[in-house]
Amino acid sequence: MNIDFNKNSDGLVPVIIQDTTTKNVLMLGYMNEEALKVTKDTKKVTFYSRTKNRLWTKGEESGNFLNLVDIKLDCDNDTLLIQVNPVGPTCHKGTDTCWAEANAENFGFISKLEHTIESRVKAGNAEKSYVASLFASGINKVAQKVGEEAVEVVIEAMDNDDELFLNESADLLFHYLMLLQAKGFKLENVVNILKGREKK
């Protein structure tokens, strides 16, 4: 890894810190050669603090360490991407990230859909919301709907209409997300089980 520490007059390179699991960006810091060496040796991310004018290991006072997983160098050899397993919140203000965002497992549109389902259930307007009306019918009805959609997916899988198959698959996934919430879970809980089954 040929890092260009001489590109800037202060000998520092910017370091982007990313959660290795959620892929969320947690913070931005700076390193010199010594900080990088300490990070590699201790497996705890250490920066060069421009305000303290010294090496600073994240978590040295709070205990909220950034445990090193991987280091990547950008195409210009002057910026690092460091993937970590964070211990506790990253920001000194007590938030998960320095942008005050939650560092939760993020599945993009699926996460957005989960939030939509949750908000519709909380609103409870069964007359205007399909989600609210199905939840109001009880968990047995939600589970039954998942079963119905699963059967339809199987039927369409044996046919040659890809559009119908994909539409039924979307219906199944949507209702499965609803069933998870009806049981008090989210997709993240299922993914964590799958991760636990992964062969190392």
Side-chain angles (χ1 to χ4, degrees), residues 121-160:
V121 172
K122 284 181 180 176
N125 192 344
E127 291 181 4
K128 292 186 177 180
S129 168
Y130 169 73
V131 171
S133 65
L134 188 57
F135 265 76
S137 300
I139 193 167
N140 288 349
K141 193 68 176 176
V142 179
Q144 179 184 340
K145 192 64 181 172
V146 171
E148 291 171 4
E149 298 298 344
V151 169
E152 290 176 13
V153 167
V154 171
I155 291 170
E156 295 304 331
M158 294 183 287
D159 206 345
N160 292 320

Side-chain angles (χ1 to χ4, degrees), residues 18-19 21-27 86 88-91 94-108 111 115 186 188:
Q18 180 186 45
D19 187 304
T21 302
T22 67
K23 306 307 180 191
N24 292 328
V25 174
L26 304 179
M27 67 172 288
T90 297
C91 184
T95 55
D96 288 349
T97 78
C98 289
W99 293 269
E101 295 178 336
N103 184 29
E105 192 82 69
N106 189 343
F107 301 104
S111 294
H115 291 308
K186 290 198 173 180
E188 180 178 359

Side-chain angles (χ1 to χ4, degrees), residues 1-154:
M1 188 177 290
N2 186 24
I3 304 167
D4 188 359
F5 285 102
N6 298 316
K7 190 165 188 177
N8 299 311
S9 58
D10 56 10
L12 301 177
V13 296
V15 180
I16 300 165
I17 303 298
Q18 180 186 45
D19 187 304
T20 192
T21 302
T22 67
K23 306 307 180 191
N24 292 328
V25 174
L26 304 179
M27 67 172 288
L28 172 71
Y30 294 87
M31 283 185 180
N32 58 11
E33 289 187 72
E34 187 181 3
L36 180 61
K37 182 179 185 310
V38 171
T39 296
K40 288 179 176 179
D41 290 346
T42 65
K43 304 301 181 190
K44 299 203 180 299
V45 177
T46 299
F47 301 98
Y48 183 84
S49 172
R50 296 173 299 169
T51 54
K52 300 175 183 176
N53 291 316
R54 66 170 177 85
L55 294 187
W56 163 66
T57 299
K58 176 71 182 75
E60 64 186 23
E61 294 177 4
S62 65
N64 297 330
F65 294 103
L66 298 172
N67 294 321
L68 177 65
V69 175
D70 192 25
I71 300 174
K72 293 182 171 70
L73 182 61
D74 80 333
C75 56
D76 291 323
N77 297 328
D78 62 0
T79 302
L80 294 173
L81 174 66
I82 297 187
Q83 294 179 317
V84 302
N85 282 320
V87 178
T90 297
C91 184
H92 69 284
K93 292 186 175 181
T95 55
D96 288 349
T97 78
C98 289
W99 293 269
E101 295 178 336
N103 184 29
E105 192 82 69
N106 189 343
F107 301 104
F109 176 76
I110 296 295
S111 294
K112 181 180 177 183
L113 187 55
E114 285 187 310
H115 291 308
T116 300
I117 292 169
E118 187 176 13
S119 66
R120 298 277 168 81
V121 172
K122 284 181 180 176
N125 192 344
E127 291 181 4
K128 292 186 177 180
S129 168
Y130 169 73
V131 171
S133 65
L134 188 57
F135 265 76
S137 300
I139 193 167
N140 288 349
K141 193 68 176 176
V142 179
Q144 179 184 340
K145 192 64 181 172
V146 171
E148 291 171 4
E149 298 298 344
V151 169
E152 290 176 13
V153 167
V154 171

Side-chain angles (χ1 to χ4, degrees), residues 105 107 186-197:
E105 192 82 69
F107 301 104
K186 290 198 173 180
L187 186 61
E188 180 178 359
N189 300 107
V190 178
V191 170
N192 287 339
I193 290 175
L194 291 173
K195 285 179 180 177
R197 294 177 181 175

